[in-house]
Amino acid sequence: MTYFPPPAEELRLIDAELRQLDARRGQLLARRAWLVAALRQAAAAALPPAPAVAPHAAGFPPPRAEAGAPRVQNVLLLLGGILLTVAAIAFTLVSWGHLGISGRALVLGGVTAAVLAAPVPLLARGLRSTGEAVAGLGFALTVLDAYALHEVAFAGASGAGYAAVAAAVLAAGWTAYGVLPRTGGLRLPLPAALAAGQLPLLLWAVAAGAGPSGIAGALLVTAACDTAVALRWAVPAVRVAAVASAFALGGWGAVAAGWLSWTASGPGAAARAAALLLLAAGTALTAARRVADEEHEVGLAVAAGLLAVGAVGGTARSALPAVWTVPAYLACGVALLAAVRQARLPRPVRRGAALASAAVQGLAVLTAVPLVVITVLGPAGWVPRIWSGAPDGTRAAVAAGVPWPPYAGTAPLVTAVVAVVLGSAVRDPARRAWALHGALGPAWATVLILPPVLDVPYAAGLVVLGALTAALLTAAARTRADASAVTALVLAVVTSVALGFGALAARPATLLALSVLAALFAAASVDRRLSPVTAPAALAHATALACAVGAAAGWAPQHTALLVLAVPAAAALVAPRTGGTARIPVEVTGGAAALLAVGLAAPAPPVLALVLALCGVITAGTALRPDRRALGWASAALFVLAAWVRLAAWDVTAPEAYTLPATVPALVVGALRRRRDARTSSWTAYGPGLAATLLPGLAAAWADTHWLRPLLLGAAALPLTLLGARHRLQAPLVLGGTVLVLDALHELAPYLVQVTDALPRWVPPALAGLLLLAVGATYERRLRDVRRVREVLGNMD
């Protein structure tokens, strides 16, 4: 069996082992230090002697190189090439004027040939960077040679035309220079040739006096050439430069062609712009089918699809009335979906076509948004002229003081087509649910804006809105997808707002519409999933209905407030029976209706007092629920406010009439709290209630010249003080005693003033001095008495 020594013996053994370990560790550290020193001495003996350190640098580390040798070399070569180029420009334009332009051209030609030949031996010796710098200087000299040649032999030629020819020649020459066997190792010639190749077509178009179409075509053809170079050339520098040029020139050309298509005044101009857009689309599609990166392929396919839509849609727009502009582009966008079903096309291209079609449809739907906003919020213009008379058509009811948007006749067609496409074009089961969810918005917009667009009769338009609200609520109740249910609910609420505003034109329509809306949303609240939205909406419509009924009956606003109180009462009854998430929205809506009732009753204080009291009753009934006990305080506050308003209506000015209604409930609540918890302080239980009456009463007594109020105040403070002393409670004792003393001083104040006036002026100082002497003589005993009083009060509750 294992032997376990006693604790004292085990502690001694552990200490001995630790001492041995410390000793061994010290030996090993000493040996390690000796070995490190020996290795350093051997390494120092093997190295050559270090150079002497300057006296001022002793003790500091050697300076760190901030730039590597290759970087320094490149900077020096670049600066040298720039300086030589500047010198050559100055030589050509300013210096050596006595040689003439011909002499300068000959000299420059010779220097250019020598400079362009210099990289060959430099490359043979491995000086590639130097060769690049010399080649760059040579290219700059060739540009100066072209300028000198123009001044010598082609001075009368057009500047733009000669610049185009010179740019083409330079591009071809630099390309040949970059592919020669002896200079093929240079990286500068080919990108420089590509940069020069961007100018000939554009300059030729300018020289030929081509209009915007010709310039846009030159840009697009150049971009197509850049695209071909980027797809076929394997040199990375050339490919990057070609891609950048293709995107820059192609983007500008496509924007210019799109603007020409949009502003085309006839089919001919639109056809020319369409040809340019199709050229850009073909270039983008070709690039999309040849690139290897899927993201770039999708992006290029999207651009190709949008450009094709712009081309065909612009041509159709020029031949159709202006109201059919958006449907024309939308039809082209929908036609793009045919490419999605072509299996021979790569998957990224089909995906890009689908995204381009979705973008076109989204933009088309956006054009209908202003009409939807006018249909929903435009009827709000009936609020300042409510019940002024029903208009003849729905359009006048919707655009109440709002200008009707032009070209709105085809907006329902646009939204309907988008809804049908979303509902039928998506075949993938995983995405079909989201497509149907997205189709709900355009379908709703179609039904919403169709009556004002067709200008159906006023009553028929209201019926359509009511039926649309009912259909949306039914769809929200039957669907199982949460996203679709939420969308249907939101659209139902928005439609109900449009119906409520639109019905304000006529009194019967208002009452009927609000009644139907309240009933629809109340019926939909049976579904617990919908109740967080439908129940508050039903209460809101019921509140509006109550106000409308009161106004229709000719009641004053304060009398209508009593009818509005039925809504918070219903909310208090319904809230416990709704789901957990719907309870708070229902109560908040009920509270808002109660505030509206208070605001309506504010001009009539007697009715306001009744409304506040009824609100207190509703709040007290709600406070009976275990989770709403805190509303008891609000109920008490409402009752007190009701009493105050009632007293103010009776012209009661006595402060006790206002404070006693608050004091009695507060004392009752404090007594109940101390009964449940005996550790509750008397200040917490009785202090607020007593102070609410005693302190205002004391202030009124001091300002009162009669004897009745101080007498009643003292009569109330005396038993309160005795009760505090009897039951050992601080709050009644201190508050009652303080009020009693101050009340007595108030009653004795006139006599004290008379006595003070009767005494000589030296008596008060003498009495004060005697008092100080007496206190000083018995200071210690007085302090002990004060401590005893404090202890007695401290032992009280």
Side-chain angles (χ1 to χ4, degrees), residues 261 264-271 311-325 328-329:
S261 176
S265 58
V312 181
T315 304
R317 181 199 63 80
S318 64
L320 294 174
V323 72
W324 291 97
T325 298
Y329 284 104

Side-chain angles (χ1 to χ4, degrees), residues 375 394 398 447-448 451 460-470 495-496 498-500 502 517:
T375 306
T394 305
V398 167
V447 181
L448 181 70
L462 295 183
V463 170
V464 170
L465 291 178
L468 180 58
T469 304
T495 308
S496 68
L499 177 56
L517 290 175

Side-chain angles (χ1 to χ4, degrees), residues 220-237:
L220 291 175
V221 171
T222 305
C225 296
D226 292 334
T227 303
V229 172
L231 294 175
R232 294 183 175 274
W233 213 282
V235 180

Side-chain angles (χ1 to χ4, degrees), residues 10 15 65 107 119 156 180 365-366 475 483 499 534 650 761 763:
E10 185 177 2
D15 290 338
V107 173
L180 290 175
V365 170
L366 286 179
L499 177 56
T534 55
W650 287 338
R761 295 185 178 275
V763 173

